[in-house]
Amino acid sequence: MEHVNIFIKAVFIENMIFAYFLGMCSYLAISKTVKSAVGLGFAVIFVLGVSVPVCYLLENYLLKAGAMAWISPGLATVDLSFLSFIMFIATIASIVQLVEMVIEKFVPALYTSLGIFLPLIAVNCSILGGALFMQEREYSTIGQASVFGFGSGVGWFLAIVAIAAIREKIRYSNVPAPLRGLGITFIITGLMGIAFMSFMGVTI
Amino acid sequence: MKPIRKIVDKVKPNFEKGGKLEKFYPAFNAFETFLFVPEHTTPSQGAHIRDAIDLKRTMILVVISMVPCLLFGMWNIGYQHYLALGISDATFMQQVGFGAIKVLPIVIVSYVTGLTVEFIFAIIRKHVINEGFLVTGMLIPLVMPVDVPLWMVSVSTIFAVIIGKEVFGGTGMNILNPALTARAFLFFAYPTKMSGNEVWINTSLKEGQQVVDGFSGATPLGNAAADLKENIPGVWESFVGFIPGSIGETSTLACLIGAAILLFTGIGSWRIMLSVFIGGYLMAIVLNLFGLNTLMQLSPVHHLVLGGFAFGAVFMATDPVTASHTNTGKYIYGFLIGLFAILIRVFNPAYPEGMMLAILFMNIMAPLIDHYVVQANINRRLKRIRIHDK
């Protein structure tokens, strides 16, 4: 039940896009067609789902104050948490490299349509955000951390796919000229945020 | 009608190209086509479809179908008011009169502000005024609580028309239902005026009057969320609508009359209405199996007649612009609205009225549903071609 709660919270209530506005750059840039949005969405789910548990292990067995006590009792006083940013970023970057190679090998069409934004997942704020939220919220087991990472990815996926479908739909709308493109996308994101507020406060 | 026609013809040259008031042509055009059958015809090439129904007539029919809700709402406002004051000898006319005094200003404010914004946009952007606002302007008062300040109605209407509709290019282009956008805007911006126990029944007191003992003013769903089982009215009472709530939403009966008009004229989609009710019914049954609190124990039928469920299903979910466009999509869209509405009701203690938010959420998801329905169709046909090729 705890896991379900964390998952729903990560997908709907504390949605990376609509609650924290993280990962906006690729969200705005890749949401022109549903097809590439789905591709990027899955990539983000994968990266978040893998990187958050890995960062969890690093955090709890290496970085936190006293985390290295399992190696030898002498290290129980060492606190490496000042290294967490650089460690997390390095972890995320290497996982993104992995994803990039896999996509290039197996889905070359998607690889070209994502272009520069695929390697840029490494600096997608929602990924580092996921790792840092995990650190801040101090999940007690790796299971919870993985569910949180996976759920955040699903939330991000849902957001980008939904807005991509909307943008495909309004492509022929008579939007006022100054708002065309990014302007209207920001407004849509805001309106979607209102709709997602319906889940605020849900507990199971 | 002849004298009016004469006046219209007389002032018409002023508004046409080269005339003094050329800028205001959209406004003039709106009035002319409102009064008389428009004279424009289809161009000589292209499709020639002869059909009496146009946007204006569609919208007017929707407004007519909302009249039962409006009238019942007016009466109910008065009824609840006199009930709260413990005055049992108020006549029917007194009740309706009190309701009318409270409701009509809201209707007028919503129409005047909304149409003003529409006219300004039409003149600046040089497009014809669409009649979409006729429906929105009627829907907004119907989903407001009776005690809402008029300036809030006005602000939310402006927000809904500009941000909800005009920035997308006007009628037919919006992604969220404008009336619900207005309500959601107020709901999140001024929660004290849009929820709680104070706003649903007007208790303005004259000298020498006082509220009856034990008066609470909460909506049935508010009571259910607070686990006050004895304060929830019965199914029949809620079906007819003798319950506190937003102006037009209380009576499921009036909504069903509206639904009958919409379905008979073919304007509302029966697929959406049906699947909303099925979705809500099934979800309520599932939650009954758990039955952990009062809201979960409410019987499915009771869930469907309380709050804005019927109103949302009939008038909001069927909005042809923001709903799914494909037939399969409509079933999915409606079903999920019903499901989410009951889910939000039950699991979100802050928002016992989940219908509005469920519809807004599905408005967002509707283009995605359509996309995949269309894609599935394309794939199926491609497969058929491949089989024939072999």
Side-chain angles (χ1 to χ4, degrees):
Chain A
M1 219 55 207
E2 181 73 6
H3 288 98
V4 175
N5 217 344
I6 290 178
F7 182 77
I8 291 188
K9 222 173 164 178
V11 175
F12 293 111
I13 305 162
E14 292 174 343
N15 188 296
M16 281 290 176
I17 295 276
F18 298 123
Y20 297 112
F21 296 96
L22 289 177
M24 289 300 283
C25 12
S26 33
Y27 167 79
L28 294 172
I30 301 295
S31 56
K32 286 197 190 88
T33 59
V34 174
K35 214 171 168 195
S36 48
V38 169
L40 188 72
F42 275 123
V44 168
I45 292 182
F46 178 78
V47 174
L48 261 173
V50 175
S51 70
V52 172
V54 171
C55 291
Y56 177 85
L57 292 178
L58 283 175
E59 161 80 7
N60 281 284
Y61 293 101
L62 212 58
L63 298 173
K64 222 159 62 174
M68 283 199 289
W70 61 278
I71 299 175
S72 77
L75 291 171
T77 52
V78 180
D79 180 3
L80 290 180
S81 47
F82 64 92
L83 281 178
S84 53
F85 275 113
I86 203 158
M87 291 290 275
F88 288 173
I89 291 172
T91 316
I92 291 165
S94 46
I95 291 169
V96 171
Q97 278 303 311
L98 191 74
V99 173
E100 198 185 338
M101 286 188 272
V102 170
I103 291 186
E104 190 180 8
K105 171 84 178 135
F106 293 106
V107 208
L110 182 63
Y111 183 78
T112 33
S113 80
L114 292 179
I116 185 68
F117 284 95
L118 191 55
L120 279 184
I121 294 182
V123 287
N124 187 327
C125 330
S126 66
I127 313 269
L128 184 62
L132 292 176
F133 277 134
M134 175 274 299
Q135 188 185 34
E136 187 185 296
R137 289 175 195 162
E138 294 174 340
Y139 288 113
S140 52
T141 63
I142 189 166
Q144 289 184 1
S146 331
V147 168
F148 167 73
F150 181 68
S152 303
V154 172
W156 203 89
F157 172 85
L158 208 62
I160 194 171
V161 174
I163 200 171
I166 292 173
R167 285 181 77 174
E168 278 195 5
K169 183 187 168 188
I170 67 160
R171 187 170 300 156
Y172 301 107
S173 295
N174 178 20
V175 176
L179 283 176
R180 268 180 212 151
L182 273 188
I184 194 75
T185 314
F186 277 117
I187 292 178
I188 298 172
T189 310
L191 290 174
M192 290 170 82
I194 293 183
F196 265 76
M197 273 174 93
S198 52
F199 298 101
M200 210 161 268
V202 173
T203 45
I204 295 176
Chain B
M1 286 315 265
K2 274 250 169 80
I4 305 177
R5 179 78 253 182
K6 260 186 198 156
I7 297 171
V8 170
D9 282 339
K10 206 172 148 197
V11 296
K12 196 170 185 180
N14 288 331
F15 291 97
E16 275 167 349
K17 250 206 159 87
K20 256 187 299 185
L21 299 167
E22 188 191 334
K23 268 191 195 150
F24 296 95
Y25 180 73
F28 171 78
N29 181 48
F31 278 116
E32 193 195 359
T33 51
F34 187 78
L35 293 169
F36 299 101
V37 177
E39 53 191 83
H40 44 249
T41 50
T42 43
S44 53
Q45 71 270 55
H48 294 274
I49 300 171
R50 284 170 68 89
D51 197 343
I53 197 115
D54 61 355
L55 195 59
K56 206 159 270 185
R57 185 160 300 180
T58 312
M59 294 302 175
I60 284 294
L61 280 172
V62 180
V63 172
I64 290 172
S65 69
M66 277 185 280
V67 167
C69 283
L70 180 72
L71 293 179
F72 187 90
M74 279 186 197
W75 173 79
N76 191 42
I77 296 297
Y79 171 76
Q80 296 290 344
H81 171 76
Y82 287 113
L83 198 66
L85 298 187
I87 300 171
S88 52
D89 57 347
T91 60
F92 178 76
M93 283 321 288
Q94 260 175 318
Q95 289 168 339
V96 174
F98 182 84
I101 290 171
K102 290 288 160 198
V103 173
L104 286 181
I106 302 181
V107 177
I108 292 167
V109 165
S110 135
Y111 266 119
V112 169
T113 36
L115 284 177
T116 311
V117 176
E118 289 263 337
F119 274 93
I120 293 171
F121 264 87
I123 288 167
I124 294 176
R125 303 206 58 213
K126 300 188 175 52
H127 64 65
V128 188
I129 290 172
N130 288 122
E131 295 73 19
F133 190 76
L134 291 181
V135 171
T136 311
M138 187 55 116
L139 278 171
I140 290 176
L142 291 183
V143 293
M144 294 285 167
V146 60
D147 267 357
V148 66
L150 291 179
W151 66 268
M152 282 189 193
V153 178
S154 172
V155 169
S156 65
T157 309
I158 293 172
F159 178 85
V161 174
I162 295 181
I163 303 291
K165 196 168 81 177
E166 286 299 334
V167 296
F168 293 97
T171 304
M173 313 278 189
N174 46 317
I175 52 163
L176 290 184
N177 186 322
L180 281 180
T181 315
R183 194 179 194 283
F185 172 74
L186 277 196
F187 188 82
F188 291 119
Y190 307 100
T192 51
K193 293 288 177 190
M194 292 299 288
S195 52
N197 300 344
E198 307 283 317
V199 295
W200 307 105
I201 299 173
N202 183 286
T203 49
S204 54
L205 301 173
K206 289 195 199 100
E207 212 168 307
Q209 291 181 326
Q210 59 173 2
V211 175
V212 287
D213 290 341
F215 167 78
S216 93
T219 61
L221 284 169
N223 280 329
D227 267 339
L228 296 165
K229 207 176 280 182
E230 62 280 3
N231 286 352
I232 304 173
V235 173
W236 180 247
E237 218 175 314
S238 334
F239 176 74
V240 184
F242 308 132
I243 50 175
S246 294
I247 293 169
E249 69 170 18
T250 57
S251 170
T252 307
L253 181 66
C255 293
L256 288 184
I257 296 172
I261 298 174
L262 287 182
L263 293 180
F264 178 72
T265 52
I267 290 170
S269 160
W270 62 268
R271 291 185 175 86
I272 294 178
M273 288 187 206
L274 183 74
S275 51
V276 171
F277 281 112
I278 292 176
Y281 192 84
L282 289 182
M283 194 64 225
I285 290 180
V286 171
L287 290 173
N288 273 347
L289 295 180
F290 294 97
L292 298 175
N293 58 29
T294 313
L295 269 171
M296 283 196 193
Q297 287 158 2
L298 276 185
S299 72
V301 177
H302 210 153
H303 255 302
L304 300 191
V305 295
L306 280 181
F309 196 93
F311 189 83
V314 172
F315 296 113
M316 298 290 196
T318 55
D319 175 359
V321 178
T322 54
S324 270
H325 297 285
T326 50
N327 281 347
T328 321
K330 280 177 182 165
Y331 290 118
I332 303 171
Y333 167 85
F335 186 82
L336 287 178
I337 285 180
L339 193 128
F340 273 119
I342 304 293
L343 268 184
I344 295 174
R345 236 179 222 187
V346 172
F347 286 113
N348 202 339
Y351 313 143
E353 183 44 86
M355 196 59 187
M356 160 185 86
L357 296 162
I359 297 173
L360 280 180
F361 184 72
M362 287 317 294
N363 279 172
I364 296 269
M365 292 299 166
L368 190 62
I369 298 173
D370 276 345
H371 176 87
Y372 279 109
V373 170
V374 171
Q375 212 58 44
N377 203 16
I378 292 173
N379 290 344
R380 205 176 54 238
R381 290 188 163 214
L382 278 179
K383 218 159 132 196
R384 206 189 292 158
I385 291 173
R386 279 192 209 114
I387 291 170
H388 282 297
D389 281 351
K390 271 173 197 167

